[in-house]
C-alpha cells in the first residue's frame, strides 16, 4: 500500500506543479509545436535536470536502487516519439495534463481526453505485437545509458546535460525576448 500512496502523492504533486505553472492549458501545449510558447519545454528541461540529479544522488548515497534500464531500440523510439508528438500536438494534451485538467474540472479533458487515452492504449495493445518486431530489428542497442555509451561517469554525463540545458534555456529566453 505504501507504493500506491507514494505514487498518488507524487502524482498529485506533479499535477499541482503543472497547474501552478499554467501547463495544463491547451494554448500552452499547442504553443510548443507552433514554437510560440516554450514554457512547457523550459519546465520539462528543468524537471529533467533536477530529477536526474536527485536520482543519481539517491543512488550514490544508497537511498535509492537503480531503476531497471529497458532495452533501447532507436527506430522504435523515434516512431513512438513521432506518434506521441502528433497526438499531443493535435489534441493539445499529454497524459499528465489530461489528468491535471480533469482535476481542474475541465469537461473537455474528461469527455475527449480520457477516451483518447483509452483508444490509444487499446490501439497500442492491438498493434504492438505486429509492429514492434519490425521496429526492433533496427537500432537495437541493448540495455544502455548515455554514461555507458560515452564510457563516462554518470555525474559527468549529468554535468554536460545540465550545461546543455542551461544553454538551451538561455537561447529560449533570448529568442522570446527578440519577439
Amino acid at each position: 500500500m505504501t507504493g500506491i500512496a507514494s505514487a498518488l502523492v507524487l502524482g498529485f504533486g506533479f499535477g499541482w506543479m503543472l497547474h501552478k505553472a499554467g501547463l495544463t492549458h491547451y494554448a500552452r501545449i499547442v504553443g510548443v509545436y507552433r514554437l510560440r510558447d516554450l514554457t512547457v519545454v523550459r519546465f520539462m528541461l528543468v524537471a529533467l535536470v533536477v530529477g536526474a540529479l536527485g536520482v543519481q544522488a539517491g543512488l550514490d548515497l544508497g537511498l535509492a536502487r537503480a531503476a531497471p534500464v529497458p532495452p533501447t531500440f532507436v527506430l522504435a523510439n523515434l516512431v513512438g516519439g513521432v506518434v506521441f508528438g502528433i497526438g499531443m500536438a493535435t489534441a493539445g494534451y499529454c497524459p499528465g495534463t489530461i489528468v491535471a485538467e480533469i482535476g481542474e474540472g475541465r469537461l473537455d479533458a474528461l469527455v475527449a481526453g480520457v477516451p483518447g487515452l483509452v483508444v490509444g492504449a487499446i490501439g497500442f495493445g492491438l498493434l504492438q505485437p505486429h509492429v514492434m518486431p519490425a521496429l526492433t530489428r533496427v537500432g537495437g542497442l541493448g540495455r544502455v545509458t548515455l554514461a555507458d555509451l560515452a564510457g563516462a561517469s554518470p555525474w559527468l554525463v549529468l554535468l554536460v546535460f545540465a550545461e546543455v540545458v542551461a544553454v538551451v534555456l538561455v537561447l529560449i529566453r533570448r529568442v522570446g525576448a527578440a519577439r
Side-chain angles (χ1 to χ4, degrees):
M1 188 63 162
T2 305
I4 292 173
S6 297
L8 286 173
V9 168
L10 288 172
F12 180 81
F14 184 69
W16 180 80
M17 286 188 288
L18 287 174
H19 167 75
K20 289 312 247 179
L23 305 180
T24 56
H25 299 288
Y26 172 82
R28 276 265 157 83
I29 302 296
V30 174
V32 170
Y33 293 97
R34 293 180 179 163
L35 298 176
R36 293 193 177 131
D37 186 349
L38 298 178
T39 305
V40 175
V41 173
R42 291 187 348 235
F43 179 87
M44 293 308 293
L45 286 173
V46 171
L48 284 170
V49 169
V50 171
L53 291 171
V55 167
Q56 190 61 46
L59 289 170
D60 286 355
L61 295 171
L63 301 173
R65 290 181 295 146
V69 176
T72 299
F73 298 102
V74 176
L75 181 61
N77 289 3
L78 287 172
V79 170
V82 168
V83 170
F84 184 86
I86 290 170
M88 193 168 156
T90 56
Y93 299 116
C94 76
T97 57
I98 288 173
V99 176
E101 287 189 34
I102 290 169
E104 290 178 350
R106 298 210 180 146
L107 191 58
D108 61 326
L110 184 63
V111 172
V114 172
L117 282 174
V118 172
V119 168
I122 290 170
F124 175 79
L126 293 173
L127 291 174
Q128 192 266 352
H130 306 289
V131 175
M132 283 304 284
L135 294 177
T136 57
R137 282 191 212 111
V138 178
L141 300 179
R143 298 177 187 277
V144 296
T145 64
L146 285 176
D148 294 335
L149 288 174
S153 159
W155 282 107
L156 179 60
V157 173
L158 283 174
L159 177 65
V160 171
F161 177 62
E163 289 173 346
V164 168
V165 166
V167 169
V168 169
L169 292 172
V170 167
L171 291 174
I172 288 172
R173 175 173 232 138
R174 285 186 182 169
V175 169
R179 287 187 177 185

